[in-house]
């Protein structure tokens, strides 16, 4: 009887598993994941304390809030603050930006 050659499992793994996550995302590749990931990055630009919410003052002081006039920034914040708590939580921010979109991170 002939011997069966041994197969090394390591050699069968695709090289893609060894790659690190890209720093830039192609929205055409997987738009739901990319959009969620990018919205999270935008949220982190405002929520510097990492507590899951931010006030109008934090929004206005961020690059995202300072892109607008005072009037427009207040309008955006009020629209995001669905529950009227005067803070915007992650879910409110995510829902607002899934509907309205945001500029690419490079513009912020």
């Amino acid at each position: 009887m002939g011997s069966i050659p041994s197969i090394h499992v390591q050699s069968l793994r695709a090289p893609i598993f060894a790659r690190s996550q890209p720093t830039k995302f192609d929205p055409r590749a997987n738009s739901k994941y990319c959009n969620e990931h990018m919205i999270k990055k935008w949220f982190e630009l405002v929520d510097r304390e990492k507590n899951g919410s931010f006030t109008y003052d934090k929004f206005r002081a961020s690059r995202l809030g300072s892109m607008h006039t005072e009037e427009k920034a207040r309008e955006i914040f009020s629209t995001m603050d669905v529950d009227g708590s005067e803070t915007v939580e992650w879910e409110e921010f995510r829902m607002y930006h899934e509907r309205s979109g945001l500029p690419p991170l490079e513009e912020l």
Side-chain angles (χ1 to χ4, degrees), residues 20-103:
S20 62
Q21 187 175 9
T23 56
K24 290 193 176 200
F25 295 95
D26 180 1
R28 296 166 294 182
N30 186 340
S31 62
K32 181 169 176 42
Y33 170 76
C34 293
N35 289 341
E36 180 92 11
H37 183 80
M38 287 188 285
I39 292 170
K40 187 67 171 171
K41 290 292 185 192
W42 290 314
F43 185 78
E44 291 169 359
L45 289 174
V46 183
D47 181 28
R48 298 222 178 246
E49 289 85 22
K50 309 276 188 255
N51 61 7
S53 66
F54 56 86
T55 62
Y56 174 76
D57 292 333
K58 297 289 183 188
F59 173 67
R60 189 70 175 130
S62 72
R63 290 187 296 176
L64 187 57
S66 64
M67 294 172 55
H68 304 286
T69 64
E70 178 77 23
E71 182 180 336
K72 184 66 177 173
R74 284 199 183 279
E75 178 186 325
I76 291 169
F77 186 85
S78 295
T79 305
M80 286 189 292
D81 184 20
V82 176
D83 64 4
S85 64
E86 297 188 21
T87 61
V88 173
E89 289 81 23
W90 160 243
E91 280 301 311
E92 292 173 312
F93 188 85
R94 184 185 60 77
M95 288 183 337
Y96 173 83
H97 289 98
E98 281 180 350
R99 288 189 312 260
S100 64
L102 274 174

